[in-house]
Amino acid sequence: MSHDYKFEGWLGKDKESAKGNMVWGELPHVKPFEETDVDIQITHCGICGSDVHVLSSGWGPTTYPCCVGHEIIGKAVRVGSKVERGIKVGDRVGVGAQNSSCLKPDCEECSDKLENYCQHIVTTFGDKYPDGSITYGGYADYHRCPSHFVFKIPDGLASEDAAPMLCGGVTLYSPLVVNGCGPGKKVGIVGVGGLGHFGVLFAKALGADKVVGISRSNAKRDDVLKLGADEYIATSDDKDWATHHARSLDLIISTVSSPGMPLMEYLQLLKVKGTFIQVGAPEDMLPQFSAFAFIAKGVKMGGSMIGSPAQIEAMLKLADEKKIKPWINTYPMKDANQAIKDFNDGKPRFRITLVNEKHL
């Protein structure tokens, strides 16, 4: 197959791009191809909240131009001689939020298959490889990635469904699995949106005894119950919600990205020795909380970031076996700016996948 294709995509030139003002153009300083790499002709890319945070410099100064998108699905069109997983030209493959880690034998994280916590992580967009080349995401025609972070997509998963699993999905799957979600556990998902709806789907697929969706209003109640949740708590509709549901959950995963979230009340919902895991990443600080929220019941609080390659493969296998079907809205890649605007306005139920129609 010819390798004379161009790396072009939707570029954010400044903070205004986060409002749907990206410009199509060539991606400069793309990583030189190595024999461990895979070039992907992109057919689908999910839209993630991280995309907007980076386009707007919300998590810190972004180096522009930036091409976002880290839920990439497409066809392998160039494969190095030293690639992993037996990837071949023509395979349907995907890439999540990570492009690289050091993979050195003396790296504890990489050696323990926790590459997503490597100190030398290279994220899929807006980052730099050690040689200074830039990472560009999936709002584009092509993506180049080291094969350690490229995954074959099971035949039973549609591309528009599999794409958002590669970041949004594994961001919920990972803390659920690590913290023992399964039979005998009651699990709460705070914030049932693009991230949280994956929490409901995967908690049910993992066999939790009870899954509870937690949101501010009743607007999403019917949708969340259709996803499979056993119960729904609307915090604005019951001023005593934390008391009424106190000590009812073993595990809570919070996707909320608000410094004003009622953290102390969420902690009331935990049983003795329960666990609260934060995955939502606010641009500001988390709310203040009292140490007695932990001491009085022996509960613990932690965080989780995306997932390791091993977890992504396990998640895709589970999604295929259990026929997990996320709620997806598709937009043509050419309408990425409108998709970002609709994302910002909270219109999708629950994720958006861009479809690069010229590559289908």
Side-chain angles (χ1 to χ4, degrees), residues 27-100:
L27 310 182
H29 310 300
V30 172
K31 177 186 184 297
F33 189 84
E34 298 179 66
E35 291 302 318
T36 52
D37 289 344
V38 178
D39 278 359
I40 301 168
Q41 185 185 68
I42 297 169
T43 60
H44 298 77
C45 185
I47 289 182
C48 181
S50 305
D51 303 347
V52 176
H53 285 299
V54 172
L55 286 173
S56 67
S57 289
W59 283 337
T62 295
T63 300
Y64 300 103
C66 179
C67 178
V68 298
H70 56 201
E71 299 176 337
I72 300 167
I73 301 282
K75 181 173 68 175
V77 294
R78 186 179 181 185
V79 175
S81 61
K82 299 179 181 178
V83 300
E84 301 180 34
R85 299 189 179 86
I87 295 168
K88 302 183 299 294
V89 170
D91 285 347
R92 186 170 62 127
V93 295
V95 174
Q98 183 174 7
N99 262 194
S100 184

Side-chain angles (χ1 to χ4, degrees), residues 71-191:
E71 299 176 337
I72 300 167
I73 301 282
K75 181 173 68 175
V77 294
R78 186 179 181 185
V79 175
S81 61
K82 299 179 181 178
V83 300
E84 301 180 34
R85 299 189 179 86
I87 295 168
K88 302 183 299 294
V89 170
D91 285 347
R92 186 170 62 127
V93 295
V95 174
Q98 183 174 7
N99 262 194
S100 184
S101 68
C102 74
L103 297 179
K104 293 180 178 179
D106 60 350
C107 173
E108 290 188 12
E109 291 77 23
C110 290
S111 296
D112 288 342
K113 295 186 177 181
L114 296 171
E115 298 95 328
N116 50 313
Y117 296 112
C118 174
Q119 295 181 67
H120 302 287
I121 185 174
V122 177
T123 56
T124 300
F125 61 76
D127 207 349
K128 287 186 178 182
Y129 287 102
D131 68 357
S133 53
I134 307 296
T135 60
Y136 296 101
Y139 295 15
D141 280 343
Y142 292 89
H143 181 72
R144 177 169 291 162
C145 184
S147 62
H148 190 79
F149 298 92
V150 180
F151 309 95
K152 290 184 178 181
I153 305 301
D155 291 340
L157 296 179
S159 293
E160 62 266 27
D161 295 340
M165 293 183 188
L166 294 169
C167 176
V170 78
T171 295
L172 272 293
Y173 172 86
S174 175
L176 286 170
V177 170
V178 168
N179 291 283
C181 176
K185 292 297 179 71
K186 296 179 179 179
V187 178
I189 306 296
V190 176

Side-chain angles (χ1 to χ4, degrees), residues 150-338:
V150 180
F151 309 95
K152 290 184 178 181
I153 305 301
D155 291 340
L157 296 179
S159 293
E160 62 266 27
D161 295 340
M165 293 183 188
L166 294 169
C167 176
V170 78
T171 295
L172 272 293
Y173 172 86
S174 175
L176 286 170
V177 170
V178 168
N179 291 283
C181 176
K185 292 297 179 71
K186 296 179 179 179
V187 178
I189 306 296
V190 176
V192 192
L195 274 178
H197 102 287
F198 275 119
V200 174
L201 291 171
F202 281 121
K204 292 298 290 186
L206 290 165
D209 284 1
K210 185 177 184 179
V211 179
V212 180
I214 305 168
S215 192
R216 283 176 295 182
S217 75
N218 269 309
K220 296 179 182 178
R221 177 183 293 271
D222 290 344
D223 287 344
V224 174
L225 295 176
K226 287 177 184 176
L227 285 167
D230 301 289
E231 189 176 342
Y232 184 90
I233 299 173
T235 61
S236 64
D237 291 357
D238 177 5
K239 64 182 178 66
D240 296 319
W241 61 271
T243 301
H244 291 160
H245 299 278
R247 299 196 179 206
S248 62
L249 300 173
D250 298 288
L251 172 63
I252 296 174
I253 310 293
S254 172
T255 72
V256 174
S257 296
S258 168
M261 68 192 214
L263 180 56
M264 286 292 291
E265 287 79 4
Y266 292 150
L267 294 173
Q268 281 185 246
L269 305 184
L270 288 174
K271 295 180 180 182
V272 171
K273 299 298 182 182
T275 301
F276 182 95
I277 301 294
Q278 180 70 23
V279 300
E283 294 185 3
D284 295 313
M285 303 294 288
L286 286 172
Q288 289 186 334
F289 53 86
S290 167
F292 286 101
F294 303 96
I295 295 170
K297 292 188 295 183
V299 303
K300 58 186 177 182
M301 181 176 181
S304 182
M305 184 178 75
I306 56 174
S308 68
Q311 289 173 334
I312 291 174
E313 288 188 300
M315 172 198 66
L316 292 172
K317 181 181 179 182
L318 178 71
D320 187 27
E321 292 175 348
K322 298 288 187 177
K323 305 303 177 189
I324 292 174
K325 179 70 175 175
W327 289 18
I328 305 298
N329 309 114
T330 59
Y331 287 67
M333 182 69 76
K334 63 182 177 62
D335 295 334
N337 278 317
Q338 184 60 51

